[in-house]
Every structure is written in structure tokens, then in C-alpha cells.
């Protein structure tokens, strides 16, 4: 079952903050976040695991609410390089990832 | 350590022809995944393979599509008798362990255009 992302699109000016949400109707084992720029491959940002473990980049923060089956990605003090489409991928066990429909983020000067 | 490699990067086929997409995972990675992405859409899971085994092919159409990951050589996604609706970007990813708790590394993708 595909996770639901919100919002579908965000427009920011440099320095502004944004939150991207990902929710599932099933119990999650982990949530993965990726960013994809137009015409390029998705790039890993972060993994949040059931039980609280997180792996990812220093400048990216995220939360995982296991009870609500929700994750949020926090983008603070946005830079032009943050522009792209953000995908969450959910795993219900240790097997495959199912990706959400994406959130398009545009940062303007 | 070279990243995930995919070739060709662009592939043009006429309706009814076969398309073969290749993916060489990162060194030491035995888990390979294929995804399809239509323009302006998300990544759709197709198949998950581990060396010589198909672990999960629930996202792959039952007809015309097949995938393999032999003991030696790259993983191959094969599309027989292509139709216009097969036009998409096909991404391969790999990981050293099952994906639930580990990062997947994506290749640059193969853009398939069916005329």
C-alpha cells in the first residue's frame, strides 16, 4: 500500500522552513527519505527505524511516530540546492520499499 | 567504489521490439531492486532480486516483463514486445542487506522511449 505524502508541492524563499509528511495505513518497520532532482537518480537522505534508530545526513532531521505510522521531514533554513522532489519510502518488514507520490519543493532566491 | 551502473542510459525501441536494461550493483551488494518512473510521477516498485533468486516480483506486469540477477554479471530487466506505455525511466538500486533497515543506492536510470 502506497504511503501518502503531503503537501504535494511547496514553494519557499531561501532561508524559510518546510515540513513534509508521510503517512501509512499499515504498521511500519522503517521510513526512508530520498530527494530527486529533475532527470537524476534519487539520493538517500535518511532512514528512521522502528524503535527510534536514525541514520542519515547531519543537516536533515526527521521524526517517526510509530503509533500513528507517520514520518515528517524537516527542512530548515532552506537553500536553493534543496529544490527537488522528496519521496518517502516505507517498509513493512525487512523487504521491499514502497515509495510515496512525492512532494515537489521549489526554493527561490 | 564505483556506484550503481546502468546501461544504456537512453534506449529507443519501436513497438514490438525487445528492450534489455542492465544494472551492475555496487561492489559487495547482493540485493537489487528495479523501479519504474513515469514522467512527473513517483517510483513504482517492480522487482526485488538477490543473487540468482527473485525475492519479490509483485510489482512487475505478469506478461512481457522478466528480470534476472545471475551469479555472474549484471542484473537484467527484459521487456518483450514493447508498447508505448512502457516508455518511462527505469531505475535500479542496490544494497548490501535487505532494504528495510539499510540505504538503497540508485543508478542513473535508463530512459526508454517506445516509438
Amino acid at each position: 500500500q502506497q504511503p501518502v505524502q503531503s503537501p504535494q508541492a511547496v514553494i519557499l524563499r531561501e532561508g524559510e522552513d518546510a515540513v513534509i509528511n508521510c503517512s501509512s495505513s499499515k504498521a511500519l518497520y522503517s521510513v526512508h527519505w530520498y530527494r530527486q532532482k529533475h532527470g537524476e537518480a534519487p539520493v538517500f537522505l535518511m532512514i528512521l527505524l522502528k524503535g527510534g534508530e536514525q541514520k542519515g545526513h547531519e543537516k536533515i532531521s526527521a521524526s517517526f511516530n510509530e503509533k500513528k505510522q507517520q514520518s515528517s521531514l524537516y527542512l530548515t533554513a532552506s537553500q536553493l540546492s534543496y529544490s527537488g522532489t522528496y519521496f518517502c519510502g516505507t517498509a513493512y518488514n525487512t523487504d521491499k520499499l514502497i515509495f510515496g507520490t512525492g512532494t515537489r519543493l521549489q526554493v527561490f532566491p | 567504489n564505483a556506484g550503481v551502473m546502468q546501461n544504456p542510459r537512453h534506449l529507443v525501441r519501436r513497438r514490438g521490439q525487445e528492450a534489455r536494461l542492465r544494472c551492475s550493483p555496487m561492489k559487495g551488494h547482493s540485493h537489487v531492486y528495479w523501479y519504474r518512473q513515469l514522467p512527473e510521477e513517483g517510483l513504482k516498485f517492480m522487482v526485488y532480486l538477490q543473487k540468482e533468486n527473485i525475492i519479490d516480483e509483485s510489482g512487475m506486469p505478469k506478461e512481457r516483463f522478466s528480470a534476472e540477477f545471475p551469479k555472474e554479471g549484471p542484473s537484467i530487466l527484459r521487456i518483450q514486445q514493447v508498447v508505448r506505455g512502457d516508455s518511462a525511466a527505469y531505475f535500479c538500486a542496490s544494497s548490501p542487506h535487505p532494504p528495510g533497515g539499510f540505504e538503497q543506492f540508485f543508478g542513473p536510470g535508463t530512459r526508454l522511449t517506445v516509438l
Side-chain angles (χ1 to χ4, degrees):
Chain A
Q1 290 171 316
Q2 188 176 34
V4 177
Q5 286 187 236
S6 63
Q8 290 185 317
V10 182
I11 299 176
L12 297 175
R13 292 220 176 266
E14 272 188 295
E16 293 181 337
D17 302 338
V19 180
I20 300 173
N21 302 302
C22 175
S23 62
S24 170
S25 57
K26 288 177 60 175
L28 295 172
Y29 175 80
S30 64
V31 179
H32 303 224
W33 287 97
Y34 286 79
R35 177 173 60 215
Q36 184 180 31
K37 293 185 181 287
H38 185 70
E40 299 181 7
V43 174
F44 168 77
L45 296 175
M46 175 164 282
I47 292 177
L48 300 104
L49 295 158
K50 188 176 178 180
E53 184 180 357
Q54 295 187 8
K55 308 179 207 178
H57 294 271
E58 293 178 359
K59 296 187 178 180
I60 300 288
S61 64
S63 64
F64 180 18
N65 186 323
E66 293 178 37
K67 286 185 179 179
K68 292 186 176 180
Q69 317 305 336
Q70 290 177 349
S71 177
S72 295
L73 185 71
Y74 304 99
L75 302 169
T76 56
S78 59
Q79 304 172 17
L80 294 176
S81 61
Y82 287 11
S83 293
T85 302
Y86 289 76
F87 292 101
C88 70
T90 51
Y92 305 107
N93 49 45
T94 57
D95 288 339
K96 67 190 181 197
L97 288 184
I98 303 297
F99 284 93
T101 50
T103 295
R104 183 175 293 182
L105 177 72
Q106 290 181 290
V107 181
F108 291 95
Chain B
N1 191 1
V4 177
M5 298 174 67
Q6 288 188 249
N7 66 80
R9 295 290 304 277
H10 300 273
L11 182 62
V12 178
R13 285 288 178 265
R14 294 192 180 280
R15 281 179 296 171
Q17 292 184 320
E18 178 179 289
R20 279 185 178 239
L21 287 60
R22 294 175 184 76
C23 169
S24 296
M26 289 181 68
K27 187 177 180 180
H29 288 196
S30 60
H31 301 262
V32 166
Y33 322 90
W34 285 93
Y35 297 90
R36 177 164 64 179
Q37 187 174 39
L38 296 170
E40 308 304 321
E41 293 192 10
L43 296 153
K44 299 291 187 186
F45 168 80
M46 298 183 73
V47 62
Y48 164 28
L49 309 106
Q50 197 176 355
K51 278 290 186 181
E52 300 185 90
N53 293 305
I54 296 175
I55 306 300
D56 186 329
E57 57 182 347
S58 58
M60 201 148 69
K62 296 199 184 316
E63 296 182 353
R64 302 188 299 107
F65 285 73
S66 63
E68 62 177 8
F69 187 17
K71 186 176 180 181
E72 301 291 338
S75 175
I76 307 284
L77 179 67
R78 182 183 179 202
I79 311 172
Q80 296 178 290
Q81 299 177 322
V82 296
V83 301
R84 288 214 174 116
D86 296 333
S87 295
Y90 291 84
F91 288 96
C92 160
S94 73
S95 66
H97 301 288
F102 295 89
E103 173 187 357
Q104 290 187 18
F105 295 82
F106 280 81
T110 294
R111 272 84 181 160
L112 173 66
T113 302
V114 180
L115 301 177

